[in-house]
Amino acid sequence: RETGFVLFISLMTIFSGLALMAINVLGIISGFAFDFELGLLAQIIGILGASTLMFIVAKRFASRNLLSTIEKKPKIQAIHNALTRENFFKTLLIITLLRLSPAMPFAVTNFSIAAAGVSFKTYILGTAIGMTPRAIAVVFIGSSLSELNFTTPKDSGMLILGVLSTIAAVVLVGYFSKKALQNLTMQESN
């Protein structure tokens, strides 16, 4: 089990870090394979590993090109300015809000934030805070799948209700984080 745990995290780091596999799919697999507690630990470590890998790649290969691209897009420029010209806490808040939104693809967000020139400390802390609710949700769904038993209607109903509630919570958190991010970037562009 320990070997599988380490192998899973290593593969997750590589596949998600290089945008070859969706982080949410791996979270469901993690919950299914390792149950909730260990699956959540694997998911969080994998997310941080994948984020670190993409941070290194983006810093090395994309930082210069991003600056010339964002000059043409005012909304992206406002987010970039908020990420790079604000204090630690505002930058952390923006990264956290970007991470909370399930509409923001993990790999694209990794790449964009890292290429923007954000410090690694702020990047990884915002990633850990912002990705944890989503990680909890997908790992919970995966761990619930291992207990799925349609022969007991009461248990199945509770499980389905739990999964739907988790999805609803993630969508609501994403909606409110998107609104908060829009407010922050509106302030920055004014």
Side-chain angles (χ1 to χ4, degrees):
R1 189 161 168 128
E2 289 176 18
T3 304
F5 182 77
V6 172
L7 181 62
F8 181 84
I9 292 169
S10 300
L11 291 174
M12 183 177 177
T13 296
I14 293 166
F15 285 113
S16 292
L18 298 176
L20 300 173
M21 187 168 255
I23 201 84
N24 293 339
V25 171
L26 290 170
I28 292 170
I29 293 169
S30 178
F32 184 79
F34 301 112
D35 295 322
F36 182 75
E37 293 82 11
L38 196 55
L40 182 59
L41 181 62
Q43 180 74 355
I44 297 293
I45 293 170
I47 285 169
L48 296 178
S51 297
T52 300
L53 177 59
M54 184 52 82
F55 186 88
I56 293 166
V57 170
K59 282 285 197 183
R60 177 110 171 111
F61 298 108
S63 293
R64 290 184 199 103
N65 294 336
L66 179 71
L67 296 175
S68 62
T69 303
I70 63 169
E71 290 173 357
K72 301 169 191 161
K73 304 197 181 260
K75 185 175 181 178
I76 295 173
Q77 189 169 18
I79 293 172
H80 179 265
N81 291 342
L83 283 170
T84 58
R85 296 182 183 162
E86 295 295 335
N87 65 43
F88 170 81
F89 292 105
K90 187 167 183 183
T91 302
L92 179 64
L93 176 63
I94 291 168
I95 293 170
T96 301
L97 290 171
L98 286 168
R99 295 301 197 177
L100 281 170
S101 174
M104 301 295 292
F106 178 74
V108 172
T109 307
N110 281 341
F111 187 80
S112 302
I113 296 170
V118 172
S119 77
F120 180 73
K121 177 176 75 172
T122 311
Y123 169 82
I124 207 70
L125 185 57
T127 297
I129 295 168
M131 289 300 294
T132 296
R134 193 185 327 180
I136 290 169
V138 295
V139 172
F140 172 76
I141 291 169
S143 67
S144 297
L145 291 175
S146 66
E147 299 170 19
L148 198 57
N149 180 2
F150 285 110
T151 59
T152 312
K154 181 181 174 190
D155 291 344
S156 299
M158 290 302 289
L159 178 64
I160 291 168
L161 182 62
V163 169
L164 292 175
S165 297
T166 302
I167 292 169
V170 169
V171 169
L172 283 172
V173 165
Y175 172 78
F176 288 116
S177 67
K178 183 179 177 183
K179 287 288 191 190
L181 183 61
Q182 286 173 344
N183 289 339
L184 284 170
T185 55
M186 292 274 247
Q187 290 171 3
E188 185 62 36
S189 61
N190 290 332

